[in-house]
Structures are given as structure tokens and as C-alpha cells.
Amino acid sequence: RSASVSKFGLGDVSATEAQLARELKVPVHILNDGEAAGWSVADLIRQAHPELERRTILVLTVGTSIGAAFIVRGQPFLGRYPSRASHLPLDPNGPVCEEHRGCWKQFAGAEARRQLAISLGLKDLEGRALDAKGVFDLLSPTTDAEVADRARSYFAKLGCQLARGIGVIATVVPLDAVVIAGGVANAGEVLRAPIVEHLTRGDSLNKEVAKGLTVLMLPQASPARGAALYAASLVSRDEQIACERV
């Protein structure tokens, strides 16, 4: 089975896994949302984008914070501790979070997106800031043109902030592709285009490096799906067949 564990602690998760395994009397493995999405993306890449299967891919989830994972030659990479991508310092004079000034999540995390929606006047009927899905829904043909322009501006600004962090990571790690996974990827081209624009014009990454970088949106690559795939990978084929017969 897969389950969600929020903010259980930082660093090496092996001690937490061991403790939970003793209490539950079953093997326990902990993934963060980015790592779990990585398993989902790896599976989808094999199915739909075989040209990228042997490449190096950065996977990002954009939720409450920013999750990240790497896929190297078709295999999700699991390190000693979960990715800390959301705390990537982008601006030493930026807003303060619990670890640094100007962390990536301060510009593209849930609260930053909420403030962005408020600044653009993108609210529901009760005056609450719209989330990314709500903003995307405003891009329908029946929406007032001025409101739709503000919705497009929301994704343009979010794409810029995502590109800033991607550029830093791609400067250090030679990437072939970046995949935005999960719900925010439903925005599709309206979010992908500004990410590509900011990367290729050299705002945060060498232009020649950016030209060779593929950016994909895979909303179906959810962390929950990836966690289930990871759990299945730990079970032998005979055990899977036995479970299916029960």
C-alpha cells in the first residue's frame, strides 16, 4: 500500500522507516511527492516518450511546496535524503522561510501562488484566491477577455518563477528534459510556454543549454500513482499474483 506522510522530519529517512516497520510489522518505505512523481514519470516516459528513456530528466511537482526528483537512464534516482528543491535559494534578499531567504517555494509555492492570484484579482465568488486549476478554468472561450488576460498573466508569472529554479538546477546537472508532473501540469501550453521562453532567452540558463532542453507537462504523472508503482516494484511477481488471487 501507499500512504502520504507530511513533514515527518528532515534528512535520512531510514530511521523513520525502521521505526514504522517495527510498529506496523510490514516493510515501510518513505518517498516525498517529487520522488513518487518520478516513478510515475519514468513509467509514462517508457510508454509515450521512448526517445527520452535513456536520458537525464528533472521531475517537478508544484503543490504546497515544490517537489523534485531525477530520472537517470530510465531509473528514478533515490538518494540518502529527499530532495530539498523547495528550499533552493533564489534571492538572498527575498522573503524569509524556515531555512533560508528567498527560497524557491517563496516564489512558486502555494502561498506565493495565492498571493499572485490576489494581486491579479483572480478570486472566487466568496472572495477567496483561485488556485491554479481555478485560474486555468478562466481560460475558457466564454470568459471575459480581460479576465482571461489576467489568467494568462498568472501562468506567465508562475512560469517565470519555475524557470528560475530550473535554470539553477540545469546549470549544475546536465539535463535532457524537465517534466512538470501532477495537477498544475493540466495548464499545459499556457504554463509550458513561459517556462521555455524564460529558459531560452538566457534569464537563468545558458541559451545553448536551454535550446537542447525538452520541457513536458504530464498531469497524469501523480505522486499517488508513482507511490503505487514504487510499492509494486518492491514486491516479487509471485507475491503480486498471490495478492491478485485474494
Side-chain angles (χ1 to χ4, degrees):
R1 294 186 177 185
S2 60
S4 175
V5 180
S6 178
K7 295 184 178 179
F8 61 87
L10 307 177
D12 190 346
V13 300
S14 60
T16 305
E17 290 175 333
Q19 179 183 347
L20 289 173
R22 286 193 298 271
E23 293 176 1
L24 299 174
K25 296 181 172 51
V26 294
V28 173
H29 300 270
I30 295 173
L31 301 179
N32 72 5
D33 56 345
E35 292 170 325
W39 280 81
S40 186
V41 168
D43 182 62
L44 292 169
I45 289 293
R46 282 191 290 271
Q47 296 178 39
H49 299 277
E51 73 280 5
L52 295 174
E53 188 173 357
R54 305 297 294 174
R55 304 296 185 177
T56 302
I57 301 171
L58 168 66
V59 178
L60 294 177
T61 58
V62 185
T64 303
S65 193
I66 300 172
F70 292 97
I71 301 172
V72 181
R73 295 184 177 274
Q75 295 299 315
F77 174 80
L78 296 179
R80 182 174 60 85
Y81 53 88
S83 167
R84 307 293 295 152
S86 63
H87 294 290
L88 183 71
L90 294 183
D91 182 356
N93 299 312
V96 178
C97 78
E98 60 265 32
E99 292 198 15
H100 309 288
R101 276 192 173 273
C103 291
W104 197 3
K105 77 171 187 177
Q106 299 293 329
F107 300 98
E111 178 58 22
R113 299 195 305 276
R114 190 180 76 85
Q115 293 297 332
L116 175 59
I118 291 172
S119 72
L120 293 168
L122 300 171
K123 302 178 182 180
D124 63 18
L125 295 177
E126 297 180 0
R128 295 173 299 195
L130 293 174
D131 61 12
K133 180 183 183 303
V135 175
F136 181 70
D137 289 342
L138 294 176
L139 295 174
S140 71
T142 59
T143 301
D144 177 81
E146 190 271 335
V147 174
D149 283 344
R150 283 188 275 132
R152 279 187 284 271
S153 178
Y154 172 96
F155 286 109
K157 292 176 183 294
L158 176 58
C160 171
Q161 299 300 344
L162 291 176
R164 291 175 69 194
I166 292 169
V168 172
I169 295 172
T171 298
V172 178
V173 181
L175 299 175
D176 298 291
V178 176
V179 174
I180 309 298
V184 75
N186 280 303
E189 191 62 18
V190 73
L191 177 58
R192 195 192 80 88
I195 293 174
V196 173
E197 177 188 351
H198 284 281
L199 290 173
T200 55
R201 76 184 188 191
D203 289 352
S204 58
L205 183 63
N206 177 278
K207 290 182 180 180
E208 293 304 312
V209 172
K211 286 179 182 178
L213 194 61
T214 299
V215 179
L216 296 175
M217 313 296 279
L218 292 180
Q220 67 272 44
S222 68
R225 180 179 183 273
L229 288 168
Y230 177 66
S233 75
L234 301 172
V235 180
S236 71
R237 181 57 184 161
D238 288 344
E239 289 173 316
Q240 290 183 40
I241 293 173
C243 288
E244 290 168 359
R245 288 174 177 169
V246 174

